[in-house]
Amino acid sequence: METEQSLGGGGDLFAVAVPLCCLCVDCQGRMDSPGPPSERTPDTEKDGMPVSNTFGLKRFPQAIIIGVKKGGTRALLEFLRIHPDVRAVGAEPHFFDRFYDKGLEWYRNLMPRTLDGQVTMEKTPSYFVTKEAPGRICTMNCQTKLIVVVRDPVTRAVSDYTQTLSKNPGLPSFQSLALKNSSTGLIDTTWSAVRIGLYAKHLENWLQYFPLSHFLFVSGERLVSDPAGEMGRVQDFLGLKRVVSNKHFYFNQTKGFPCLKKPEGSSRPRCLGKSKGRPHPQIPTEVLQRLRDFYKPFNHRFYQLSGQDFGWD
């Protein structure tokens, strides 16, 4: 019987390829710079063949998965890594929200090396809700392509809570965190699990720096129900040949989401780690309904801004 191998959040360097975006003038020098002498590819020969730049250059990402937490960003990145022309950082760099003071050269040196015609990517879901992130990314390169994986904000909030609860079993109940008080039923927007789901508010901030054409909004629900279809849209957006298709997926009934079929030469299929697909706690129906009513106008505003109706209402 085949077993499943966890992908988790490992540090492997992946691979994306897309025609490289136009670079802003003040970034071009950095983008193509070979970096400090200690990081340059040695100009040596092997068996009489020159191997200078064999491993390419470290470049700023031309595409970033900027959000959202618990929307399906890890699944998207794992599906993308199947593509032979994709290269991505394994861990979330958190440069534009936590480590911006380290500087752009520090950030660039985190990136995998790429050859001409390959695309560098990273994902940090908290960028979408960080007020300073869009301006900082535009300072690096205003032509950056931005991918946002969104999911029904109520389901997303419960998933977010479930993840936190697994790390902190003493956490108060979902309803006590979501509601300011049970008698009024007012939603507490200061709780991050609720605030992240205000997609329209966050997108309005990003649209001050980037045109809508620079965004791709991926449905977290369709990424589960039709992974090949959503991946087709992602590959088109990135300018990639459609390599990732139905042949790469099978649906895992136990976990409740798609897994990658075993690669040739391997005896194991690849599924996301144990933390993915964990059961959600029971939340009172009236609390979930209050949340749905609360999110409804924000959802409709998000549909208008993004040009897509995700059907959450």
Side-chain angles (χ1 to χ4, degrees), residues 237-248:
F237 174 71
L238 294 174
L240 295 167
K241 180 181 178 182
R242 285 198 175 197
V243 171
V244 185
S245 64
N246 271 319
K247 68 181 181 182
H248 292 99

Side-chain angles (χ1 to χ4, degrees), residues 13-293:
L13 299 180
F14 312 150
V16 172
V18 147
L20 296 180
C21 298
C22 299
L23 307 179
C24 55
V25 174
D26 63 340
C27 296
Q28 187 148 5
R30 295 194 196 97
M31 184 75 81
D32 292 326
S33 166
S38 62
E39 300 206 5
R40 292 175 187 165
T41 305
D43 295 328
T44 57
E45 293 193 359
K46 182 177 181 181
D47 298 328
M49 296 293 290
V51 293
S52 177
N53 294 326
T54 298
F55 301 107
L57 301 173
K58 293 191 174 188
R59 298 179 170 92
F60 290 118
Q62 294 88 38
I64 303 177
I65 300 172
I66 60 172
V68 299
K69 179 184 179 185
K70 305 308 295 179
T73 60
R74 170 55 60 182
L76 175 61
L77 190 61
E78 296 295 353
F79 297 166
L80 265 174
R81 73 183 294 199
I82 302 170
H83 202 290
D85 292 328
V86 172
R87 296 281 288 168
V89 183
E92 295 174 2
H94 282 282
F95 174 66
F96 295 105
D97 60 347
R98 298 181 189 172
F99 303 117
Y100 193 64
D101 60 344
K102 291 183 178 291
L104 284 165
E105 281 299 292
W106 178 87
Y107 179 58
R108 185 179 61 80
N109 285 326
L110 296 178
M111 300 299 124
R113 293 183 181 274
T114 53
L115 301 174
D116 289 344
Q118 289 185 314
V119 167
T120 307
M121 291 189 72
E122 70 118 315
K123 90 162 181 84
T124 304
S126 52
Y127 289 164
F128 189 60
V129 299
T130 300
K131 185 177 181 180
E132 301 80 9
R136 291 171 174 177
I137 292 176
C138 190
T139 296
M140 175 190 74
N141 181 5
C142 288
Q143 300 303 314
T144 305
K145 294 187 175 184
L146 306 165
I147 300 176
V148 189
V149 188
V150 288
R151 179 184 184 188
D152 182 329
V154 177
T155 310
R156 197 222 64 81
V158 176
S159 181
D160 195 338
Y161 172 79
T162 303
Q163 182 182 59
T164 306
L165 184 65
S166 70
K167 300 173 182 177
N168 180 12
L171 197 67
S173 68
F174 179 90
Q175 49 268 38
S176 66
L177 293 170
L179 303 179
K180 288 185 177 180
N181 65 68
S182 56
S183 58
T184 64
L186 291 176
I187 303 299
D188 190 349
T189 57
T190 64
W191 185 31
S192 64
V194 168
R195 190 173 64 252
I196 289 172
L198 301 174
Y199 304 143
K201 291 288 187 184
H202 305 307
L203 181 56
E204 285 171 347
N205 183 42
W206 282 85
L207 290 174
Q208 295 181 50
Y209 297 87
F210 293 91
L212 188 62
S213 60
H214 285 213
F215 294 85
L216 178 70
F217 301 97
V218 174
S219 165
E221 287 86 5
R222 287 196 295 269
L223 201 57
V224 171
S225 64
D226 181 20
E230 281 300 278
M231 290 306 298
R233 294 179 61 242
V234 175
Q235 291 168 98
D236 291 348
F237 174 71
L238 294 174
L240 295 167
K241 180 181 178 182
R242 285 198 175 197
V243 171
V244 185
S245 64
N246 271 319
K247 68 181 181 182
H248 292 99
F249 301 99
Y250 76 96
F251 192 81
N252 183 293
Q253 297 290 347
T254 303
K255 286 182 172 289
F257 55 73
C259 294
L260 300 175
K261 291 181 179 177
K262 62 183 181 183
E264 290 184 19
S266 171
S267 61
R268 296 179 176 183
R270 299 187 298 170
C271 274
L272 294 171
K274 293 179 180 179
S275 66
K276 308 299 181 182
R278 58 165 74 92
H280 289 176
Q282 288 293 320
I283 311 295
T285 303
E286 60 271 20
V287 174
L288 296 178
Q289 188 57 52
R290 285 188 184 277
L291 267 179
R292 294 199 181 284
D293 293 341

